[in-house]
Amino acid sequence: MTTLIKGARVLGGDPTDLLLRDGRIAAVGERLSVPGATVVDADGLVALPGLVDLHTHLREPGREDAETVETGSRAAALGGFTAVHAMANTDPVADTAGVVEQVWRLGRQAGLVDVVPVGAVTVGLRGERLAELGAMADSAARVRVFSDDGHCVADPALMRRALEYVKAFDGVVAQHAEEPRLTAGAQMNEGDLSARLGLTGWPAAAEEAVIARDVLLAEHVGARLHVCHVSTAGSVEILRWAKSRGVQVTAEVTPHHLLLTESAAASYDPVFKVNPPLRTDADVQALRAGLADGTIDAVATDHAPHAVEDKESEWAQARPGMLGLEQALSVVLETLVEPGLLDWAGVADRMSVRPAAIGRLDGHGRPLAPGEPANLLLLDPAARAVVDPAALASRSRNSPYAGRELPGRVVATFLRGTATVLDGEAQK
């Protein structure tokens, strides 16, 4: 298949043409002409490397009523992603080579994005003993990221052993930083608002204490640590300190933590219930600044679909989590690009280059240059649209952006030169 993209602004630069052939970028230049090629008019569109998500919940196996690998992959492609890391909290848990290979094969069958399984750190996510880390790393899925996301690896001795173990195959432990003894029964961010609403608070210190402990452990054993969904200003400062010491730590922030604050909880609408919770405006500003200056390495969606019965209930009973794949780039455009905190090269770095490097993904996060894999997206930055949950590709509808107008529209996504999205429509 040969595709000629005409007039795209690579990383927001001057218009140029890109020729995609046999899964790679064959040529980049002005006024390219190739007989028989499929031509895509990209006038006014920004070309970026395909996005990579380090934190996606695809729910399969076990909760196909909320999402499947196929529906989640379609949502990812529509959001401009070419690779997603599928978290381990499935049923059965992805704690063996067999389960991670099942998820990997389902991703290949869907063919919309590269689905990269994340392996559990501990058996059954129970935090008692290490899972089959080496077997998952050696499997067909070649797992390099391990996480008990949804649960903190709270035992420091167990966390140390996990960090030591993954060094053997250049893996990384992605920690859900939450000291569980500080968050029992927590419903939202701890502060004046939680007191007024009568909801048990989730203190910032519960996150920050675990990050502080784990960066010291990572430094001690010389291992790679990744911190999931950072949500507080204090966490940003701890990460900045750790990086200044040369600790091999990386971190991610979600789109919803870049845009929304705890004030949304005042509605008691459980669509805004999430773990970690939405924080204060001061935290949001610190997260944006931390992403802009590189202290936070990546934007990761924590895309968490839920069936209607798990979300549309009383706040205390509702499951935490939000959809994020289809609106992630739009949120970054609104919160970072339009205010001038990130340029398009910065967006590519935080949403493609660094996530691919953290996950050790070959072929993703690469420059849009001749000879490179043709994984890319075309974005219309001038478009604006109101988010309609009913129109989303996900099997679930728990979007925190419902009814909100956001900028930007992914017009096309290409996975190794094959269009998975064209004219804003999924091709499978």
Side-chain angles (χ1 to χ4, degrees):
M1 179 178 294
T2 301
T3 301
L4 181 58
I5 299 172
K6 300 288 290 183
R9 296 167 51 214
V10 175
L11 302 184
D14 294 332
T16 191
D17 302 341
L18 297 97
L19 178 64
L20 315 183
R21 178 184 288 147
D22 298 329
R24 293 191 174 272
I25 300 174
V28 177
E30 296 181 10
R31 294 185 292 278
L32 297 181
S33 179
V34 180
T38 299
V39 177
V40 175
D41 181 7
D43 182 42
L45 305 184
V46 173
L48 299 172
L51 308 183
V52 176
D53 191 13
L54 284 165
H55 196 143
T56 305
H57 297 275
L58 296 180
R59 302 303 187 207
E60 190 176 12
R63 286 305 305 266
E64 291 83 356
D65 56 330
E67 194 76 285
T68 67
V69 170
E70 181 180 1
T71 60
S73 293
R74 187 172 295 112
L78 287 165
F81 291 89
T82 53
V84 299
H85 288 75
M87 301 307 283
N89 57 343
T90 50
D91 184 12
V93 172
D95 57 4
T96 65
V99 179
V100 296
E101 286 187 350
Q102 177 188 359
V103 174
W104 176 74
R105 290 194 174 93
L106 287 168
R108 286 173 64 88
Q109 290 170 14
L112 290 159
V113 297
D114 285 344
V115 174
V116 185
V118 173
V121 177
T122 67
V123 174
L125 308 178
R126 290 189 291 271
E128 297 170 353
R129 58 189 176 93
L130 292 183
E132 299 176 3
L133 308 184
M136 288 187 279
D138 291 339
S139 72
R142 295 195 57 77
V143 176
R144 289 297 178 269
V145 182
F146 299 87
S147 181
D148 276 3
D149 183 60
H151 302 272
C152 179
V153 182
D155 182 337
L158 192 61
M159 184 64 178
R160 173 183 173 168
R161 288 202 295 274
L163 289 166
E164 290 173 331
Y165 199 107
V166 300
K167 285 178 63 179
F169 40 81
D170 193 26
V172 62
V173 178
Q175 175 70 293
H176 173 109
E178 175 187 356
E179 170 47 67
R181 289 166 294 188
L182 294 175
T183 60
Q187 299 292 319
M188 66 170 292
N189 180 55
E190 182 177 284
D192 292 343
L193 183 59
S194 65
R196 292 202 303 271
L197 295 177
L199 296 174
T200 303
W202 201 115
E207 173 175 304
E208 296 158 8
V210 172
I211 297 175
R213 182 202 75 179
D214 286 353
V215 295
L216 292 174
L217 289 174
E219 181 179 43
H220 181 65
V221 304
R224 290 203 296 140
L225 168 70
H226 181 72
V227 183
C228 296
H229 41 50
V230 171
S231 70
T232 77
S235 295
V236 177
E237 288 307 309
I238 294 167
L239 290 164
R240 189 173 284 121
W241 170 83
K243 289 191 169 192
S244 74
R245 291 170 61 91
V247 179
Q248 296 181 75
V249 59
T250 55
E252 68 189 38
V253 63
T254 72
H256 48 270
H257 285 112
L258 289 170
L259 180 63
L260 306 173
T261 70
E262 63 176 1
S263 63
S267 66
Y268 290 103
D269 184 342
V271 75
F272 297 113
K273 184 179 180 181
V274 67
N275 184 355
L278 301 176
R279 303 288 190 180
T280 67
D281 183 67
D283 290 314
V284 169
Q285 298 307 317
L287 293 170
R288 293 180 185 180
L291 184 66
D293 69 22
T295 301
I296 299 173
D297 299 83
V299 175
T301 68
D302 195 7
H303 176 82
H306 287 300
V308 171
E309 62 269 22
D310 290 329
K311 205 62 175 167
E312 294 185 7
S313 63
E314 294 180 3
W315 179 283
Q317 303 305 317
R319 296 283 300 276
M322 302 170 167
L323 300 183
L325 285 167
E326 292 185 58
Q327 276 70 52
L329 187 51
S330 290
V331 172
V332 171
L333 178 55
E334 176 162 312
T335 59
L336 277 300
V337 178
E338 290 185 346
L341 294 173
L342 277 184
D343 58 13
W344 289 114
V347 173
D349 181 71
R350 308 304 194 275
M351 298 191 75
S352 182
V353 178
R354 290 205 210 183
I358 292 165
R360 298 298 193 253
L361 296 189
D362 295 332
H364 294 274
R366 303 295 302 163
L368 300 185
E372 298 287 357
N375 296 320
L376 67 147
L377 70 97
L378 300 174
L379 175 78
D380 181 357
R384 298 190 70 88
V386 175
V387 177
D388 176 9
L392 299 178
S394 173
R395 184 162 283 187
S396 296
R397 294 291 175 262
N398 54 302
S399 173
Y401 313 118
R404 181 186 290 264
E405 185 180 77
L406 291 173
R409 174 176 178 263
V410 174
V411 175
T413 307
F414 295 88
L415 177 65
R416 287 182 288 279
T418 298
T420 56
V421 173
L422 272 180
D423 296 324
E425 300 290 335
Q427 297 302 290
K428 287 187 180 181

